[in-house]
């Protein structure tokens, strides 16, 4: 008489952890870490945007003015735009640390505004604008890919 062997254990679902805490993880783990990094980047970016705005408001000689440009604002106006957007980005970035849903929505909106502002700001500071656009895209990815608490 032979006894039937017990069935083999089911393979772990993606993202499941083993009892010792190790596991394959998935993009949710990356996004959770990315959300924290996104919040930090938003605060740093916002502070830089505030300083950039103050520099443009205080003295128009800081940035080079180009001849005819489609989005012809005075540099002082650009300074105010960067100052206001920078403050909004800092507030939304700090809100991300709470994990609140409103903070994710607000972050997506203000980062979208910052992306538009940096795209239009390209002729004045091309290298810095490209860095900020790439950073903003990463922040948007991390905000949209983050999934709240997952069952263990």
């Amino acid at each position: 008489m032979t006894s039937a062997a017990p069935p083999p254990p089911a393979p772990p679902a993606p993202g499941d952890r083993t009892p010792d805490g190790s596991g394959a993880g998935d993009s949710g783990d990356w996004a959770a870490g990315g959300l924290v990094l996104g919040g930090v980047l938003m605060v740093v970016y916002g502070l830089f945007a505030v300083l950039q705005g103050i520099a443009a408001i205080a003295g128009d000689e800081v940035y080079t003015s180009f001849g005819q440009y489609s989005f012809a604002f005075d540099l002082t106006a650009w300074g105010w735009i960067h100052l206001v957007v920078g403050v909004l980005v800092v507030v939304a970035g700090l809100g991300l640390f709470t994990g609140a849903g409103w903070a994710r929505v607000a972050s997506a909106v203000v980062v979208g505004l910052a992306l538009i502002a940096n795209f239009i700001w390209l002729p004045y500071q091309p290298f810095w604008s490209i860095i900020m656009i790439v950073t903003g895209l990463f922040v948007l990815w991390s905000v949209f890919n983050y999934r709240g608490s997952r069952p263990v």
Side-chain angles (χ1 to χ4, degrees), residues 74-99:
D74 179 58
L75 285 176
T76 304
W78 274 115
W80 282 106
I81 290 169
H82 282 288
L83 182 69
V84 169
V85 170
V87 168
L88 292 174
V89 169
V90 168
V91 170
L94 292 173
L96 276 181
F97 295 125
T98 66

Side-chain angles (χ1 to χ4, degrees), residues 21-85:
S22 64
D26 62 1
S27 66
D29 296 333
W30 281 93
L35 190 64
V36 173
L37 180 61
V40 170
L41 288 175
M42 284 180 69
V43 170
V44 170
Y45 165 74
L47 293 175
F48 279 139
V50 166
L51 294 175
Q52 184 178 10
I54 290 172
I57 292 168
D60 288 342
E61 300 84 33
V62 175
Y63 300 108
T64 309
S65 179
F66 292 94
Q68 296 295 325
Y69 180 50
S70 298
F71 305 103
F73 289 122
D74 179 58
L75 285 176
T76 304
W78 274 115
W80 282 106
I81 290 169
H82 282 288
L83 182 69
V84 169
V85 170

Side-chain angles (χ1 to χ4, degrees), residues 63-149:
Y63 300 108
T64 309
S65 179
F66 292 94
Q68 296 295 325
Y69 180 50
S70 298
F71 305 103
F73 289 122
D74 179 58
L75 285 176
T76 304
W78 274 115
W80 282 106
I81 290 169
H82 282 288
L83 182 69
V84 169
V85 170
V87 168
L88 292 174
V89 169
V90 168
V91 170
L94 292 173
L96 276 181
F97 295 125
T98 66
W102 68 265
R104 292 178 56 208
V105 172
S107 296
V109 170
V110 297
V111 169
L113 291 174
L115 285 172
I116 293 168
N118 279 301
F119 177 75
I120 297 172
W121 185 248
L122 269 169
Y124 296 99
Q125 291 216 323
F127 185 68
W128 184 253
S129 293
I130 290 171
I131 289 172
M132 292 292 91
I133 288 170
V134 170
T135 303
L137 291 174
F138 174 74
V139 170
L140 283 178
W141 175 86
S142 64
V143 166
F144 285 128
N145 272 333
Y146 177 71
R147 305 287 183 254
S149 60

